[in-house]
Amino acid sequence: MPNKSIHTKLTKNEEDYLKALFHLLSEAGDNKVGTNQLAEYMGISPASVSGMLKKMKTKDLVASERYGKLDLTEEGTAIAVQLIRKHRLWETFLYTHMNFTWDEVHEVAEQLEHIKSTKLIAELDKFLGHPKRDPHGAVIPNAEGEYQLLPKITLAQLEAGDRCRLVSVKDSSVAFLQYVSRLGLALSSEIQIREIEAFDGSVTISFDNKEINVSKKFVDNVFVEKI
Amino acid sequence: MPNKSIHTKLTKNEEDYLKALFHLLSEAGDNKVGTNQLAEYMGISPASVSGMLKKMKTKDLVASERYGKLDLTEEGTAIAVQLIRKHRLWETFLYTHMNFTWDEVHEVAEQLEHIKSTKLIAELDKFLGHPKRDPHGAVIPNAEGEYQLLPKITLAQLEAGDRCRLVSVKDSSVAFLQYVSRLGLALSSEIQIREIEAFDGSVTISFDNKEINVSKKFVDNVFVEKI
DNA sequence: TACATAAATTAGGCATGCCTAACAAATCAA
DNA sequence: TTGATTTGTTAGGCATGCCTAATTTATGTA
């Protein structure tokens, strides 16, 4: 008999570690993800991370050798993906049925994702019509943990004259999301690149008959698909 | 300026104490509610309760003198009522939109009630159409913490020949709720008292053209209104 | 190669909230 | 009124998960 899933036995904190580590690993590619990095991302001290990871290794959620690069086990990855599924389904619910705005959903979804009920998530998914994307455009993994990787093209990678559609954002901080909203941009917005400033990488874009200039940092954080 | 609400600063455990104490105080009337009783109800040791209550007294949530009867402060009561509101709104949501059954809602609502978001509760309430009763027939307090006390008449207080409607249940344990469902009873079921057995207090009731005999313990746990 | 720096771990503490065991206060009954 | 029983509190421990400080290992550079 295969291992009975231990999904329901994890603490909120253990779940947060899995999510954080999964996120860093996704972004890092083949680069090393280390204790300090994880600590910084979670806003806690490296020593705390060391201690917690030690415990999680004995639970077979995290894999790494002493002083080596961090990694998730298959089990750890699977749980992390389910947490992301839950998070994004809740975000969708808050956005589509609870009148939450783009930038409000994250904080509450962060709490809701820790609710333990397989049935609830299955029903929520059904209720929402099995959505494929959350309000930020991020792909929602299915119940089996399968999900499609987005081609990661940012606004920064386009050239003057290119046209594209906004599909998601890299940074989900409230400050960034509110800025995006204030500009008048939303998911599926059609954008055209007008001009790229060689000096500082800032870009002039146009959409909805407006034309504005945005920073290098901004265009690095917006994922698009060319049209 | 009145005290800024500390609702959002409480831990899950503190909230559970408030709920438990509120529940016992409601049932006790003027009788003393003590440490042992609270401990038993929460399934923990009296010593743990002593320790926790000590802390909660300093936070002005609980009032009582050393070795005296327990009570909630106004603040503590207000928070407890809001927790009950949240619990019952979530139960309603699970029942009406997530296909949960009568006996499944409690456990998950127990988790959901600890989610911190004033906006979410306001929106949920609106989404559900400002329901007055939860799936067990219990009254849902409004956002101001006001709620109507049910006249507490149980099946046991009726006499042979009386007719009534089921409005709620006292005990929300899964075992009891499943038993009620299995009998074919639900909220608003019309029941007539056929016969009361003097020997053991068991009662023969009829509803939906069925006639069954139920125990004293059963009729003590079912709230009804006469019709 | 050897030292300086950066990264990771261990050691020792603290807060929360649980436990058992020991003790103190209150209550009931003879 | 005093002794026995019940109820409540304190004392001392444990697990979780955080912290800072000290130490160990790894790495990069002269």
Side-chain angles (χ1 to χ4, degrees):
Chain A
M1 179 167 53
N3 242 354
K4 194 111 189 196
S5 165
I6 58 171
H7 288 44
T8 53
K9 295 170 109 89
L10 301 188
T11 65
K12 176 190 173 302
N13 280 343
E14 288 170 331
E15 291 188 345
D16 285 339
Y17 272 87
L18 291 180
K19 261 194 53 173
L21 191 45
F22 182 86
H23 179 256
L24 291 178
L25 288 168
S26 306
E27 298 235 311
D30 281 337
N31 300 326
K32 168 176 179 175
V33 172
T35 304
N36 282 0
Q37 206 183 335
L38 182 52
E40 156 120 17
Y41 181 72
M42 298 186 73
I44 59 181
S45 76
S48 302
V49 171
S50 263
M52 188 62 153
L53 291 182
K54 199 175 187 177
K55 199 184 73 181
M56 294 177 74
K57 279 179 210 169
T58 72
K59 292 197 181 184
D60 220 22
L61 297 166
V62 170
S64 74
E65 297 181 6
R66 239 175 87 122
Y67 295 97
K69 55 165 68 169
L70 303 179
D71 205 357
L72 287 167
T73 61
E74 235 177 79
E75 176 82 12
T77 304
I79 296 173
V81 170
Q82 285 309 309
L83 285 167
I84 288 166
R85 169 174 161 77
K86 291 201 272 180
H87 182 96
R88 292 181 181 167
L89 284 173
W90 280 118
E91 283 193 340
T92 305
F93 173 73
L94 294 173
Y95 187 74
T96 59
H97 289 81
M98 296 288 114
N99 300 309
F100 275 59
T101 59
W102 219 26
D103 54 293
E104 289 174 331
V105 297
H106 183 77
E107 182 193 337
V108 179
E110 203 69 17
Q111 298 177 58
L112 286 163
E113 73 191 10
H114 296 293
I115 301 292
K116 263 88 175 173
S117 169
T118 307
K119 171 162 185 164
L120 176 54
I121 290 305
E123 291 291 340
L124 186 63
D125 184 41
K126 187 163 63 166
F127 176 77
L128 297 171
H130 307 289
K132 297 266 178 296
R133 300 278 183 100
D134 77 5
H136 303 135
V139 171
I140 302 175
N142 68 17
E144 285 68 45
E146 299 152 354
Y147 60 100
Q148 166 205 341
L149 282 170
L150 281 180
K152 298 281 189 180
I153 302 171
T154 66
L155 255 184
Q157 293 168 269
L158 300 184
E159 299 180 354
D162 284 349
R163 297 177 57 75
C164 63
R165 204 187 314 276
L166 197 166
V167 296
S168 70
V169 292
K170 190 187 284 184
D171 173 2
S172 287
S173 70
V174 169
F176 180 63
L177 292 172
Q178 286 183 342
Y179 176 44
V180 173
S181 293
R182 215 158 47 234
L183 292 178
L185 282 168
L187 277 199
S188 301
S189 287
E190 276 192 37
I191 301 168
Q192 183 167 24
I193 308 290
R194 293 293 181 188
E195 201 179 346
I196 301 170
E197 181 54 61
F199 164 60
D200 61 2
S202 71
V203 179
T204 303
I205 62 176
S206 66
F207 61 96
D208 293 348
N209 301 316
K210 285 181 283 190
E211 187 158 309
I212 58 168
N213 184 270
V214 291
S215 70
K216 177 71 163 67
K217 184 167 180 188
F218 182 91
V219 295
D220 275 337
N221 270 298
V222 174
F223 288 119
V224 296
E225 59 187 21
K226 281 182 80 165
I227 47 181
Chain B
M1 181 168 52
N3 241 354
K4 194 111 188 197
S5 165
I6 59 172
H7 288 45
T8 52
K9 294 171 110 87
L10 301 188
T11 65
K12 176 189 173 303
N13 281 342
E14 288 170 330
E15 291 189 345
D16 284 338
Y17 273 86
L18 290 180
K19 259 191 57 170
L21 192 45
F22 182 86
H23 179 256
L24 292 178
L25 288 169
S26 308
E27 298 235 310
D30 281 338
N31 298 324
K32 169 177 178 174
V33 173
T35 304
N36 283 0
Q37 205 183 335
L38 183 52
E40 156 119 17
Y41 180 73
M42 298 187 73
I44 59 181
S45 76
S48 302
V49 170
S50 262
M52 188 62 155
L53 290 183
K54 199 175 186 176
K55 198 184 73 180
M56 294 177 74
K57 280 178 212 169
T58 73
K59 292 196 181 186
D60 218 23
L61 297 166
V62 171
S64 75
E65 298 182 5
R66 238 174 87 122
Y67 295 98
K69 55 167 64 169
L70 304 179
D71 203 357
L72 287 167
T73 62
E74 234 178 81
E75 175 82 12
T77 304
I79 297 174
V81 170
Q82 285 309 309
L83 286 167
I84 288 166
R85 169 173 161 80
K86 291 200 272 181
H87 182 96
R88 292 181 181 165
L89 284 173
W90 281 116
E91 283 193 338
T92 305
F93 173 72
L94 294 173
Y95 187 74
T96 59
H97 288 82
M98 296 288 114
N99 300 309
F100 275 58
T101 59
W102 220 26
D103 54 294
E104 288 173 332
V105 296
H106 183 76
E107 183 194 335
V108 179
E110 203 68 18
Q111 298 178 57
L112 286 164
E113 73 191 10
H114 296 294
I115 300 293
K116 263 90 174 172
S117 168
T118 307
K119 169 159 186 167
L120 176 54
I121 290 306
E123 291 291 339
L124 186 62
D125 185 40
K126 186 163 64 163
F127 176 77
L128 297 171
H130 307 289
K132 296 265 178 297
R133 300 280 182 98
D134 77 4
H136 303 136
V139 171
I140 302 176
N142 70 16
E144 285 69 45
E146 300 152 353
Y147 60 101
Q148 165 205 344
L149 281 171
L150 280 179
K152 295 281 190 181
I153 303 170
T154 66
L155 255 185
Q157 293 168 267
L158 301 183
E159 299 180 355
D162 283 351
R163 298 176 56 74
C164 63
R165 207 188 312 277
L166 197 165
V167 296
S168 69
V169 292
K170 191 187 287 185
D171 174 2
S172 288
S173 70
V174 171
F176 180 63
L177 291 173
Q178 286 183 343
Y179 176 43
V180 173
S181 293
R182 216 157 48 233
L183 292 178
L185 282 169
L187 276 198
S188 301
S189 287
E190 274 192 38
I191 301 169
Q192 183 168 26
I193 309 290
R194 291 297 184 185
E195 202 180 343
I196 300 170
E197 181 54 63
F199 163 61
D200 61 2
S202 72
V203 179
T204 304
I205 61 175
S206 67
F207 60 96
D208 293 348
N209 302 316
K210 283 182 285 191
E211 187 158 309
I212 59 168
N213 184 270
V214 292
S215 69
K216 177 71 163 67
K217 183 167 180 187
F218 182 91
V219 294
D220 275 337
N221 272 296
V222 174
F223 288 119
V224 296
E225 58 188 20
K226 282 182 80 166
I227 48 179

